[in-house]
Amino acid sequence: MPETLVVSSRGQITLPAATRKRLGIKGGDVVILEDRGNEIVLKPGIVLEVQHYSDDQIAQWDAEDQLGEHERRRILDAVNRRQ
């Protein structure tokens, strides 16, 4: 059901309490705004923690993922047989 909201001088709107409750939006939560030309869509959003890895960790994983010559040859032979 459409609701009329007032935009403050700072560009803010207040989402109606019933809508926030129905969508599970609480103070401090993130919402996603989509500009669809002549309409605006707001959706509940989520923030995920991003883990950063050091260059040493990445180098270690690369080293651990290296194929031995025997394994590399076996894989190449299997691929070549399929072609």
Side-chain angles (χ1 to χ4, degrees):
M1 168 166 104
E3 296 210 35
T4 302
L5 307 176
V6 177
V7 179
S8 75
S9 61
R10 295 181 57 199
Q12 298 170 320
I13 60 170
T14 299
L15 299 176
T19 301
R20 292 192 316 267
K21 184 176 181 179
R22 185 173 56 80
L23 296 174
I25 298 172
K26 299 175 195 67
D29 283 356
V30 173
V31 294
I32 298 168
L33 180 143
E34 288 184 20
D35 180 348
R36 296 186 179 173
N38 64 344
E39 65 181 3
I40 295 171
V41 176
L42 291 175
K43 300 187 284 188
I46 186 169
V47 175
L48 301 174
E49 182 178 334
V50 176
Q51 189 170 3
H52 296 276
Y53 301 107
S54 70
D55 291 340
D56 290 338
Q57 287 174 302
I58 294 169
Q60 179 183 353
W61 297 330
D62 284 344
E64 291 170 356
D65 286 343
Q66 294 295 316
L67 296 176
E69 186 56 37
H70 175 72
E71 191 172 4
R72 179 180 288 115
R73 176 56 42 206
R74 184 184 61 77
I75 292 169
L76 288 173
D77 288 345
V79 169
N80 289 332
R81 279 193 299 269
R82 291 183 184 177
Q83 295 177 355

